[in-house]
Amino acid sequence: MKFRVERDALAEAVAWTAKSLPNRPSVPVLAGVMLRVTDGNLQVSGFDYEVSSQVTVEVQGDADGAALVSGRLLAEITKALPAKPVDIAAVGAHLELVCGSARFTLPTMPVEDYPTLPEMPESAGTVDAAAFASAVAQVAVAAGRDETLPMMTGVRIELSGSTMAMLATDRYRLALREMEWNPDDPEISLNALVPARTLHDTAKALGPLGGHVTMALSSGGAGEGMIGFSGGTRRTTSRLLDGANYPPVRSLFPADHNAEARVAVAALIEVVKRVALVAERTTPVLLSFSADGLVVEAGGTEEARASEAMEATFSGEPLTIGFNPQYLIDGLANLGAQHALLRFVDAFKPAVISPAGEDGEVIPGYRYLIMPIRVSR
């Protein structure tokens, strides 16, 4: 194998592929990225039996072939190279990489020991890449991080006709995003539970490419238990989580509310960050709403306290409610709007945060539910 490639294209391809490689692979070859050149195209791929990534880059190919090298090491090297064309050649059990006056010789691993990448499931439809990336970011923030509860570490994708809904919860907050997409089958009705981290990384990488992302999901037969995404020259597949017993979390959204507040998102985030400086990790920030506006306060150890007042439009009986400050900031930061509408039943029931337009009305599509923390005052 021998080829020449632009440095930026190579660095980008390797970085994206290496990102999904395992830190502690079960077998050494799974820490590698496969470089395969055929007909002037370089395929950079990685696979750990859970997630596969593959990107195609145009190169000047002198000799077709394949080589398997450490993904993280190659990613670090390509990122640090000068902005010049890169010449790569497989020589015996090594890979030689030359860029300007920089030269690297890397050991290779046996190509024949590397597992075959899974085939993409059949296409289910397409969705706007930028809108998809934005929607995934809004939802993935609420997914759990506790690997002992794998179901909570996923994002549930519900496909029903031309509507795509994404849900995620860690039991303390719940995010729901609904959007339009273009199904191949107008009657489609499918659900899938996708690992949140994989979905977020994939959407984040495909979003800036523009155009559309193709979602591949099989309802039976080949590719069952997997989901695939492709956009531009990139494609990725992931095993699905078992979502058979996923709880009916939509029922957590209150049917009605007794009070609501409209606040400026950026201002509230700044106030919560400041006030939370005195709070311990498990201490909530208190939000006190009244006709006069909003007061945010928190208390910490050794009588450290903080409070700050800010403008808010409020309707309903005065209310004081406590939230985990980081969960509150996560919800506000992902609204994608300048104003937020917070709706309450009472101080002990979940609150719902929605983006609000200039007219004060809810912008449909996204809701973020957050559980309050009971506080004694």
Side-chain angles (χ1 to χ4, degrees), residues 60-342:
Q60 297 174 21
D62 292 337
D64 290 356
L68 183 65
V69 291
S70 165
R72 299 200 187 281
L73 180 58
L74 188 62
E76 287 176 11
I77 289 171
T78 52
K79 186 171 72 174
L81 291 174
K84 293 178 180 177
V86 185
D87 289 299
I88 294 180
V91 181
H94 290 87
L95 189 76
E96 291 189 354
L97 187 150
V98 179
C99 180
S101 57
R103 177 184 291 271
F104 292 86
T105 302
L106 307 178
T108 58
M109 294 178 272
V111 170
E112 60 273 13
D113 291 352
Y114 199 68
T116 305
L117 264 67
E119 292 294 320
M120 284 280 276
E122 61 186 71
S123 168
T126 61
V127 60
D128 180 79
F132 180 63
S134 169
V136 169
Q138 287 182 307
V139 173
V141 70
R145 311 282 192 274
D146 185 356
E147 296 295 338
T148 62
L149 294 168
M151 190 184 296
M152 296 298 168
T153 65
V155 171
R156 180 176 166 91
I157 298 179
E158 299 176 351
L159 306 175
S160 177
S162 61
T163 301
M164 176 193 299
M166 288 185 270
L167 295 134
T169 180
D170 60 3
R171 298 179 301 163
Y172 305 105
R173 63 250 179 94
L174 163 64
L176 167 64
R177 176 73 156 86
E178 293 177 314
M179 63 187 295
E180 293 291 303
W181 79 305
N182 309 302
D184 292 344
D185 173 9
E187 304 295 315
I188 192 168
S189 179
L190 279 177
N191 299 326
L193 190 59
V194 189
R197 182 170 162 246
T198 301
L199 182 64
H200 184 256
D201 288 348
T202 301
K204 192 176 173 185
L206 297 179
L209 300 178
H212 287 83
V213 171
T214 298
M215 187 182 298
L217 187 62
S218 191
S219 56
E224 177 141 38
M226 285 180 60
I227 192 167
F229 301 94
S230 60
T233 59
R234 300 180 180 190
R235 52 155 272 194
T236 188
T237 66
S238 171
R239 290 185 70 83
L240 296 175
L241 297 168
D242 181 7
N245 298 313
Y246 199 79
V249 291
R250 281 175 184 261
S251 62
L252 294 174
F253 286 105
D256 214 343
H257 60 277
N258 298 322
E260 73 173 35
R262 182 173 179 265
V263 294
V265 170
L268 181 54
I269 289 174
E270 288 303 315
V271 169
V272 171
K273 281 181 178 176
R274 273 195 294 273
V275 169
L277 290 172
V278 300
E280 295 177 297
R281 206 164 64 87
T282 55
T283 308
V285 291
L286 297 181
L287 278 64
S288 297
F289 292 95
S290 67
D292 298 328
L294 167 62
V295 176
V296 182
E297 54 188 321
T301 54
E302 299 174 7
E303 302 304 311
R305 300 201 65 80
S307 70
E308 187 169 343
M310 63 174 287
E311 284 185 14
T313 306
F314 180 73
S315 61
E317 290 295 314
L319 174 84
T320 297
I321 190 166
F323 294 122
N324 175 306
Q326 191 55 53
Y327 292 174
L328 179 58
I329 289 168
D330 286 345
L332 292 166
N334 285 284
L335 285 182
Q338 292 185 341
H339 290 89
L341 207 61
L342 289 79

Side-chain angles (χ1 to χ4, degrees), residues 2-6 37 39-42 57-63 85-88:
K2 189 176 183 184
F3 64 93
R4 169 173 278 204
V5 60
E6 289 302 317
V37 176
D39 302 328
N41 283 313
L42 166 68
V57 181
E58 284 188 11
V59 298
Q60 297 174 21
D62 292 337
V86 185
D87 289 299
I88 294 180

